[in-house]
Amino acid sequence: MSCNVGTYLDSPFHRHRDAADLSQVPLQMVAGLVGVILDAPGSAACRISLDRSDVDFRGKAVLIRTGWDQRWRRDRYWEPGPYLRDEAIDFLVDSKPTLVGVDF
C-alpha cells in the first residue's frame, strides 16, 4: 500500500532539503482558502491538461477533480492513474495558487 493513501498534505521539504517542513507551513497556507475546483477527468493516456486562463488562481486553493474515485472497487481502479502534464504544472506554477490538491 502506498504511504500516501488517504488525505495527505505534502511540504516543500519533501523535495527540497532546505525548504519548510510541514511544521513550518503556516495554517493559513492550507486552511480557510478560497477554492477553485477544476474538473479534469483522466484520459486513457492518463494525462491531464488544464486550460483555465479565465480564472485568477493567485492565493487560492486549486482542487483538481479527476473522478478517479468512480473506479473504486473496479478493475479499472488499478490501471495507471492520472497525472498532470508538464504544461499543466507550468501553468499552475505561473498562476501562483497557495495550495494545489488532487484526488488521485
Side-chain angles (χ1 to χ4, degrees), residues 80-97:
Y83 60 92
L84 298 176
R85 299 176 65 132
D86 292 346
E87 298 84 9
I89 293 170
D90 290 342
F91 173 77
L92 288 168
V93 169
D94 292 344
S95 298
K96 304 210 182 304

Side-chain angles (χ1 to χ4, degrees), residues 34-43 46-52 57 60-69 81-93 95 97 99-104:
V34 172
V36 176
I37 297 174
L38 297 178
D39 285 312
S43 67
C46 297
R47 295 170 63 95
I48 296 170
S49 61
L50 305 176
D51 182 19
R52 292 301 306 268
F57 294 132
K60 295 184 175 123
V62 176
L63 306 175
I64 302 168
R65 179 173 39 203
T66 67
W68 203 257
D69 61 309
Y83 60 92
L84 298 176
R85 299 176 65 132
D86 292 346
E87 298 84 9
I89 293 170
D90 290 342
F91 173 77
L92 288 168
V93 169
S95 298
L99 180 75
V100 175
V102 294
D103 69 352
F104 54 83

Side-chain angles (χ1 to χ4, degrees), residues 17-34:
R17 180 183 304 247
D18 297 326
D21 68 26
L22 196 54
S23 71
Q24 298 166 318
V25 175
L27 187 58
Q28 298 87 335
M29 297 291 286
V30 297
L33 299 171
V34 172

